[in-house]
Amino acid sequence: MTPTERAVVEQAIAAPMLDQVLRWAAINSGSGNLAGLASMAGELADACAPLPGQIALLDPALVTRIDAQGNEREVAHGRNLLLTVRPQAPVQILLTGHMDTVFDADHPFQTCQWLSPDVLNGPGVADMKGGLAVMIAALRAFETSPEREKLGYQVVFNSDEEVGSPGSAALLARAAAGKLAALTYEPSALPDGTLAGARPGSGNFSLVVTGRSAHAGRNPRDGRNAVVAAADLALRLTGLARPGLSVNCARIEGGGPNNVVPDHAVLRVNIRPRRPQDQDQACGAMDRIMAQVAAAHDLHIHRHGGFARPPKPITTQGQRLLELVRDCGRMLGQEIGWQDSGGVCDGNNIAACGVPVVDTMGVRGGAIHSAQEYLITESLGERAALSALLLCRLAREGV
């Protein structure tokens, strides 16, 4: 490292990240808690206030979902923050993080506790309030570098990543356009700091089955049983699963009294393709199966939803960015590798825009999405140093 880089790294390590994590984890910001998300947006805006540039609070896109009765309803989502710094600089990158967690306002997991002197248990401490603190510490430290004028960046803090980013996907795509590289602050793939490499895509679908009701005893043959058709649909879709494509039929909603042939049902399905061609094949197969089941049961099937997370293979540019992160880690005494992951995140969407992305730049920890979630607190300084050095290298050398 150069003396300038060392000074930037030391400043990043010294940032009050743990205090921020403890304060932010005490704010419930479940994806549906609009008040909590607004509080977190205010906290993040204050934390970013020393950074140059402009910050904006943006409304989400319109989002709808299918309710248990098969009706399409609008769903409210929180607003998103966009910070833009030096848009005319020769090197432009994107950094992203989400302010929402999977823990609703009425979830019992609301407070932090120390499991050991360096392991903190709490809601969102790893996924990803720790990552948000790391990102901001690195950016604030980088702004003390004389190299800063070479690097411009946008930061997206979105409110709905945990539910697939339906209200912020368009914002992410706009922010990714034209960027050299992107960094997303999900926690490391493993507690040892391993990064996520390739990721599958993910699509969530609600298949609305509309049949015809009838008396279960007097004239059942006049009915068209939507629940049975949904079950048939689930079995046929499950049969699509193979290496490179997973199918999870998660729930069937519908039906009514035992003496009535049910005329509606909703099948909830998640499909995860490993490659873009797997996604294309899954879409075609789903269309065929829907048509076959509709014909076999003489009823109607409507599909709502789609592939919100495209597959994320490792491209040549993506490989170079991973190697640059690895090399920066070695300069800091951190051995960092990567492996493929079965999870998805905003990194999928960014990669689909043709931008190389490392999407696990956040803290080391584990048991995310559970009441056992934990943060290894020494990783706050480790990962802030890693990002700070990486920003210096990107400003000087690119990818």
Side-chain angles (χ1 to χ4, degrees):
M1 284 188 289
T2 67
T4 296
E5 289 173 338
R6 191 172 301 279
V8 170
V9 164
E10 290 174 354
Q11 182 157 336
I13 293 171
M17 292 174 280
L18 181 57
D19 290 342
Q20 289 175 321
V21 172
L22 289 168
R23 186 169 66 253
W24 296 345
I27 300 171
N28 179 281
S29 57
S31 304
N33 184 359
L34 301 188
L37 289 166
S39 294
M40 268 305 300
E43 288 278 338
L44 292 171
D46 289 344
C48 291
L51 297 172
Q54 296 182 330
I55 193 163
L57 188 60
L58 305 176
D59 289 334
L62 175 66
V63 179
T64 64
R65 72 178 302 274
I66 299 297
D67 65 19
Q69 288 71 46
N71 301 308
E72 188 171 5
R73 306 287 188 190
E74 185 174 342
V75 181
H77 284 279
R79 293 196 286 178
N80 306 295
L81 280 172
L82 174 66
L83 171 66
T84 303
V85 175
R86 290 185 293 274
Q88 304 306 319
V91 177
Q92 293 289 322
I93 67 169
L94 171 65
L95 303 95
T96 73
H98 62 85
M99 63 184 91
D100 63 324
T101 73
V102 300
F103 305 106
D104 294 333
D106 59 355
H107 195 284
F109 187 40
Q110 299 286 349
T111 58
C112 291
Q113 63 174 332
W114 289 98
L115 302 182
S116 70
D118 62 349
V119 178
L120 178 66
N121 164 245
V125 291
D127 186 20
M128 66 182 322
K129 291 175 180 178
L132 298 175
V134 163
M135 181 211 297
I136 293 169
L139 288 172
R140 290 177 63 167
F142 173 71
E143 288 299 330
T144 67
S145 168
E147 304 278 5
R148 63 185 179 275
E149 296 302 326
K150 300 177 183 177
L151 181 73
Y153 53 88
Q154 287 190 300
V155 180
V156 174
F157 297 112
N158 59 344
S159 68
D160 59 351
E161 190 278 338
E162 295 292 8
V163 291
S165 307
S168 59
L171 171 61
L172 288 166
R174 291 196 302 272
K179 297 298 193 293
L180 176 73
L183 307 171
T184 293
Y185 284 78
E186 295 290 345
S188 59
L190 294 176
D192 66 1
T194 298
L195 305 172
R199 293 182 182 271
S202 179
N204 289 310
F205 301 89
S206 295
L207 305 182
V208 182
V209 183
T210 303
R212 183 189 308 147
S213 62
H215 194 288
R218 292 186 177 185
N219 60 330
R221 292 183 181 178
D222 291 337
R224 299 294 180 266
N225 194 311
V227 170
V228 171
D232 186 10
L233 194 58
L235 289 171
R236 297 192 196 205
L237 289 172
T238 299
L240 296 176
R242 55 173 172 75
L245 185 70
S246 66
V247 180
N248 182 46
C249 294
R251 179 184 295 183
I252 294 178
E253 298 164 304
N258 282 359
N259 61 352
V260 177
V261 175
D263 64 355
H264 83 276
V266 180
L267 172 63
R268 315 285 186 179
V269 186
N270 175 257
I271 300 178
R272 300 201 176 205
R274 177 60 60 179
R275 305 169 301 167
Q277 53 265 46
D278 297 321
Q279 177 175 314
D280 293 341
Q281 291 169 5
C283 286
M286 182 181 291
D287 288 341
R288 289 193 300 274
I289 288 173
M290 287 173 58
Q292 291 165 358
V293 172
H297 295 266
D298 190 22
L299 41 66
H300 177 73
I301 302 173
H302 169 70
R303 182 174 72 192
H304 181 276
F307 285 96
R309 306 291 197 200
K312 183 197 136 191
I314 297 300
T315 63
T316 301
Q317 286 182 308
Q319 181 75 20
R320 286 203 298 266
L321 183 59
L322 283 165
E323 290 170 353
L324 180 58
V325 175
R326 177 201 61 197
D327 294 345
C328 287
R330 286 176 176 169
M331 283 186 273
L332 295 164
Q334 303 175 28
E335 281 299 322
I336 297 174
W338 52 88
Q339 67 177 35
D340 293 351
S341 171
V344 297
C345 70
D346 285 332
N348 290 69
N349 302 67
I350 295 165
C353 297
V355 178
V357 57
V358 177
D359 52 29
T360 39
M361 293 294 294
V363 296
R364 295 192 290 118
I368 63 173
H369 294 192
S370 79
Q372 289 73 50
E373 179 175 355
Y374 66 91
L375 158 68
I376 301 170
T377 55
E378 67 180 1
S379 70
L380 290 165
E382 292 171 359
R383 302 298 256 204
L386 179 64
S387 280
L389 180 56
L390 179 62
L391 291 170
C392 292
R393 292 295 164 118
L394 287 170
R396 191 167 70 247
E397 303 169 6
V399 179

